[in-house]
Amino acid sequence: MITSKACYFQFIVSFTICFVCIGGSLYKFRCNSGKCTRQHSNFTSGTERYFDTLNECRLLCGEYSSLWPIPTKELRLGDQTVEIHPNSISFNYTDGSDEVRGFLNQTQEIFLDNLFKECGPRCVHSTVVPLHITIKLDSNDLSLTWATNESYVLHVASDNNKTEVTLTASNVFGARHGLETLSQLMVAKNYADGNCLLVLAEARISDSPKFAHRGFLLDTARNYISTKAILRQLDGMASIKMNVLHWHITDSQSFPLELVSYPQVTKQGAYSEDESYSQADVRNIFQYAKQRGIRVILEFDAPAHAGNGWQWAPSANLGNIAVCINEQPWRQLCIEPPCGQFNPANENLYKVLDKVYSDFAQLIPAEEILHMGGDEVFFGCWNATEEIVDYLSKQGKGRGASDFLDLWAEFQSKVLELWDRARNSQIPSPTVLWSSHLTDPSVIEKYLPKDRYIIQTWVEKNADLPKKLLKKGYRLIISTKNAWYFDHGFWGVTTYYNWRKVYNNKILNSSLILGGEACTWTEFIDEHSLDSRTWPRLAAVGERLWADPTMDATKAEGRFYRQRDRLIKRGLSPEAVTPFWCEQNEGECR
């Protein structure tokens, strides 16, 4: 005989199973003053509009819906939705070259793949309303540089029979951004027989970025990061319209890049044969990135940060190409172990680098630049190297800071000439250097012409270096050290910067500022922790550099949580930033 308690338990279990099987929820959600809050399903009012899911509420709640980053120009959004299925979407872009149509075909595939991820594994609910997308481009230009026009205009209109989307852009990259925005105007809808998508029935958006350089630095030399993990970062970057992957690919710890001219550099410099990047790997990453509207800027750091991989030179009768390699005590010879710097006193260095820069020139697309590093040169290493001291002495120089600055500038001038020769371009392209002693406002004009060098500053927010360099007419990329260094908070006396601190970091606004970069240095990060250390904080940088909003992070909470949800659906593993109760009750956990 079943007791009353057992009978009650059986009823609850049966009810729960049935409730789950039809996609139900204990809660519904309502929009209150632009924020979504939850309400128990048993206590909803018949006079208010309630939504079945939090994401559905976010789509129709607030000035910016769930868009990330926010559009910068016109934004008009309807308050009704239409059910669609990814299979009911069709495209029209008959104009354009074969190469442009090929690019758009791949963009279409990525767009649809992202919609199926949003819809979920049960994306089988049938709908009858088709969605038709017409793409119109002003140009067949496929070059992606700081001068590329990334603007777009998106128009969504619906009637009882269909939804029409018109996307107008200057080029394929603006069109790509527009499709990214369109995907964010959709949300999964759950039914007993499966899922479909809801799309806003009406929308008009005109949009373009505030900054041309919206970057993310990834260090793959301290710890090796697999190509699979790098591609995953590019997927995340595409979702927030970031357009530069700054790839710090070599350092004193390892040289994992395959060189055609000197394969022994990789053999001695990579952690293992499996932990290196072939030329094909790098080209694949360049292509994968460009298809997502992202440039890849390789950094070959020099003359410091050059150690492992260069030990072979003496046995090849080339002398010491690099000095202080792995020497101790390291604190007297470099900023962090292991030590290693190029040896400007050895003329064979430039003969070797001539071929190395040619390798880079063959690898990097014609319109792309090279980041030349150039930070943290440690004069103690050169001062402890007899042949360098002798070299300076023969030039009538001593061992003071200005003498080593002159040597450093001599090296920089010679390698820039090597790079120009390798590029063989009629118009020499600019290159990028980190801020350093060489870029100090008191000496920079002596050593670095402003038409050739862009300076990437990595100083604290309140430092006056960027303003001083701007006054002298130098172009800048800003990496605010005490807000956008994502390795901070896990070593030494550094501080972790939460997403609100990251979001609220405004950079200077000047025609000479190309934009900014967040940086993930990997001394204490590998590919298993890469996602959680980088995401979703990088999304906060993405909105700052695309829209440079005047509002602070407290006004962006719901949209930020929704963007984190998108990242998860697209295969990333971002860290949690708040209890889920706080997500369901926006504004209650400050």
Side-chain angles (χ1 to χ4, degrees), residues 218-227 230 247-259 262-279 281-282 299-300 305 308-310 360 363 522:
L218 179 59
D219 166 19
T220 65
R222 272 52 179 265
N223 275 316
Y224 175 79
I225 306 294
S226 70
T227 55
I230 294 173
W247 190 355
H248 184 86
I249 197 170
T250 69
D251 212 290
S252 58
Q253 289 87 352
S254 75
F255 196 109
L257 172 64
E258 176 193 8
L259 292 180
Y262 296 104
Q264 59 268 49
V265 175
T266 316
K267 289 179 180 178
Q268 294 193 24
Y271 288 128
S272 72
E273 187 174 343
D274 293 333
E275 294 170 294
S276 62
Y277 306 103
S278 69
Q279 299 265 310
D281 289 334
V282 176
E299 180 184 348
F300 176 29
H305 296 281
N308 286 287
W310 300 101
F360 273 90
L363 191 59
T522 60

Side-chain angles (χ1 to χ4, degrees), residues 281-352:
D281 289 334
V282 176
R283 289 193 174 95
N284 177 52
I285 288 171
F286 267 96
Q287 182 178 2
Y288 191 93
K290 188 171 184 178
Q291 187 63 53
R292 286 153 181 81
I294 301 169
R295 302 166 60 188
V296 178
I297 297 180
L298 287 183
E299 180 184 348
F300 176 29
D301 205 351
H305 296 281
N308 286 287
W310 300 101
Q311 299 97 322
W312 56 271
S315 63
N317 297 317
L318 294 173
N320 292 313
I321 295 295
V323 294
C324 307
I325 302 175
N326 300 332
E327 287 189 10
Q328 296 286 349
W330 67 265
R331 290 185 184 276
Q332 299 176 19
L333 301 169
C334 60
I335 299 294
E336 69 175 23
C339 299
Q341 291 185 177
F342 281 131
N343 178 10
N346 183 353
E347 280 301 315
N348 289 323
L349 168 65
Y350 301 105
K351 295 176 182 177
V352 170

Side-chain angles (χ1 to χ4, degrees), residues 7-52:
C7 195
Y8 175 77
F9 176 76
Q10 187 178 44
F11 167 77
I12 290 296
V13 171
S14 300
F15 175 81
T16 302
I17 293 173
C18 181
F19 197 63
V20 171
C21 78
I22 62 172
S25 170
L26 292 173
Y27 302 100
K28 288 187 179 293
F29 298 86
R30 67 187 181 96
C31 182
N32 184 13
S33 300
K35 300 173 184 177
C36 290
T37 56
R38 76 180 191 182
Q39 179 74 45
H40 200 284
S41 296
N42 292 342
F43 302 103
T44 56
S45 166
T47 61
E48 294 186 81
R49 187 177 185 183
Y50 289 89
F51 302 95
D52 291 333

Side-chain angles (χ1 to χ4, degrees), residues 133-173:
I133 301 173
T134 300
I135 299 177
K136 301 176 181 179
L137 302 181
D138 297 331
S139 168
N140 286 332
D141 187 8
L142 285 166
S143 61
L144 185 56
T145 68
W146 286 308
T148 298
N149 183 348
E150 300 175 81
S151 64
Y152 67 91
V153 176
L154 179 68
H155 184 214
V156 182
S158 304
D159 58 29
N160 293 330
N161 300 315
K162 64 183 181 304
T163 297
E164 290 282 354
V165 176
T166 303
L167 175 55
T168 305
S170 178
N171 51 56
V172 294
F173 304 108

Side-chain angles (χ1 to χ4, degrees), residues 173-209:
F173 304 108
R176 193 224 71 86
H177 295 329
L179 286 177
E180 186 64 51
T181 297
L182 178 61
S183 74
Q184 295 182 6
L185 297 178
M186 301 186 193
V187 66
K189 180 69 173 178
N190 304 328
Y191 287 104
D193 66 342
N195 297 356
C196 63
L197 292 171
L198 298 179
V199 61
L200 280 188
E202 306 289 338
R204 182 164 182 89
I205 298 172
S206 179
D207 199 9
S208 64

Side-chain angles (χ1 to χ4, degrees), residues 391-446:
Y391 178 80
L392 288 172
S393 179
K394 290 176 181 177
Q395 294 181 339
K397 296 181 182 295
R399 302 167 78 162
S402 62
D403 301 308
F404 288 117
L405 273 178
D406 289 344
L407 178 63
W408 183 356
E410 176 188 315
F411 169 86
Q412 188 58 47
S413 177
K414 287 182 177 180
V415 295
L416 183 62
E417 185 179 338
L418 294 178
W419 175 244
D420 286 345
R421 186 161 67 226
R423 263 303 192 216
N424 193 26
S425 175
Q426 296 291 334
I427 304 175
S429 63
T431 187
V432 185
L433 288 177
W434 290 104
S435 57
S436 66
H437 295 305
L438 200 63
T439 70
D440 187 283
S442 63
V443 300
I444 187 172
E445 290 175 302
K446 175 183 177 182

